[in-house]
Amino acid sequence: MIDVEETYIENRVLVHPNDTNNYDMAHGGNVMKWMDEVGAMSAMRFAGETCVTARMESVNFHRPIPRGDAALIESYVYEAGQTSVKVRLRVFREDPLTGDTELTTESYFVYVAVDEDGDPTEVPELETNTEYGRDLVETALEGEAESNGRDE
């Protein structure tokens, strides 16, 4: 069994001119790529196997990330099936001078663990042994339910 907290990853990417659109803001495709990479790391840390992207749930862009700010990507596993892993992803714009952050993007990704032949393989059970871990799972499940409610 693997604890939720062991899957928590934060990564930062400084938004350079080549990462931006014609409004000098991070291109949405780049933000999704960064989310997918960090989400896969959380999934692989949990599964102990290579994980591939199976699904991206409603990627919600709340506000842009300007050139010169950092994209702070937060990721963790909050649910596991037999071979699949659900990962909560949130992106914040972060001022590199002050450390101030603001939520910009959020989504839920599903990854599938695969073996050396590319076939789905079983993942361990997810556990939550701490209040912090339970809070992470609860927040993800509530956000997923709200996101699904908006899509109907």
Side-chain angles (χ1 to χ4, degrees):
M1 290 173 94
I2 306 292
D3 194 275
V4 170
E5 289 184 56
E6 293 177 45
T7 72
Y8 183 88
I9 294 176
E10 280 186 2
N11 193 30
R12 287 170 178 79
V13 177
L14 189 61
V15 178
H16 293 283
N18 285 344
D19 300 320
T20 64
N21 58 26
N22 55 336
Y23 296 106
D24 223 17
M25 302 291 177
H27 190 283
N30 286 340
V31 174
M32 289 174 62
K33 176 182 183 260
W34 299 330
M35 291 171 77
D36 191 29
E37 290 171 345
V38 177
M41 286 188 265
S42 285
M44 289 187 282
R45 182 175 289 177
F46 170 74
E49 301 283 349
T50 298
C51 290
V52 295
T53 310
R55 182 179 178 142
M56 295 175 163
E57 301 282 339
S58 326
V59 178
N60 296 305
F61 294 95
H62 303 294
R63 58 192 45 87
I65 306 171
R67 179 181 50 84
D69 274 8
L72 167 60
I73 302 103
E74 170 188 86
S75 171
Y76 60 90
V77 173
Y78 67 96
E79 195 173 306
Q82 187 173 351
T83 62
S84 63
V85 178
K86 286 186 173 183
V87 176
R88 165 84 160 136
L89 284 142
R90 296 190 312 164
V91 181
F92 301 83
R93 64 179 282 200
E94 182 179 65
D95 183 319
L97 301 177
T98 66
D100 291 340
T101 62
E102 183 178 28
L103 180 65
T104 65
T105 315
E106 57 187 330
S107 187
Y108 302 85
F109 287 26
V110 177
Y111 297 88
V112 173
V114 294
D115 62 19
E116 302 82 31
D117 298 321
D119 295 321
T121 188
E122 287 192 24
V123 299
E125 288 183 40
L126 184 65
E127 61 181 27
T128 53
N129 292 319
T130 65
E131 188 65 31
Y132 178 65
R134 287 187 286 278
D135 287 347
L136 287 174
V137 171
E138 183 179 323
T139 300
L141 292 172
E142 287 173 359
E144 182 184 38
E146 288 174 14
S147 179
N148 288 339
R150 282 194 298 261
D151 292 340
E152 293 179 349

